[in-house]
Amino acid sequence: MTRFRTLLVPVDFSKHSEAALELAGGLAKTLGAKVHLVHAYELPVGVTAAYGVAIPEAVWTGMREAASTRLEKARQKLEVAGVKSEAHVVASTPVEAITELARSLPADLIVMGTRGLTGLKHVLLGSVAERTLRTAPCPVLTVKGADD
């Protein structure tokens, strides 16, 4: 039987990731597991370079700091609930950040929110959850929260 000692929860600050975090927190408390929160942001270098636009470093620093602050608040809520946790903010695509961190920890389970997009929205936007399911080195539990 698989023991879930290390849970990885990708957080994009949506209601869906909040639902996943709540579920993971409950699981971690029951199982005595540690929760690792991860937020990924991508620097669109190719897009900005194609248009000759230089985005100031202060913008990226501000994004990282804002994400770190919000993620730390989520982590502190887990700690108050008696769940050991750690926060990671990564400059990468979400799927790469999730799968690389899952491998390096190593994570026993990824608990992540999903929006459940269908049709054209799914074709255009894709699904981080779907791509993570295909590349993750461990089981993935998806959670659908209330619509944003």
Side-chain angles (χ1 to χ4, degrees):
M1 179 181 207
T2 302
R3 301 286 297 172
F4 297 116
R5 296 282 183 209
T6 304
L7 309 181
L8 177 60
V9 183
V11 177
D12 65 3
F13 309 114
S14 69
K15 291 179 182 174
H16 305 284
S17 68
E18 286 176 19
L21 184 54
E22 187 175 320
L23 178 65
L27 284 171
K29 191 165 187 170
T30 300
L31 301 171
K34 183 174 182 179
V35 174
H36 288 263
L37 308 175
V38 62
H39 176 78
Y41 65 97
E42 187 174 10
L43 304 176
V45 176
V47 173
T48 58
Y51 294 102
V53 176
I55 298 175
E57 182 65 31
V59 171
W60 300 120
T61 302
M63 284 176 51
R64 182 177 184 84
E65 288 173 0
S68 293
T69 299
R70 290 184 73 184
L71 204 59
E72 180 59 21
K73 285 181 184 177
R75 191 199 67 73
Q76 288 174 356
K77 281 178 68 174
L78 288 171
E79 292 283 339
V80 166
V83 176
K84 291 181 182 178
S85 60
E86 193 172 322
H88 309 267
V89 177
V90 182
S92 178
T93 64
V95 174
E96 287 176 5
I98 295 163
T99 56
E100 286 177 20
L101 188 55
R103 280 187 184 88
S104 68
L105 288 171
D108 300 309
L109 177 68
I110 298 170
V111 181
M112 65 187 303
T114 180
R115 286 181 169 81
L117 298 175
T118 59
L120 186 57
K121 281 185 180 179
H122 179 74
V123 171
L124 294 175
L125 300 175
S127 168
V128 171
E130 182 180 333
R131 284 178 272 155
T132 300
L133 280 165
R134 292 180 188 185
T135 59
C138 61
V140 178
L141 174 63
T142 59
V143 179
K144 184 159 173 44
D147 290 328
D148 285 334

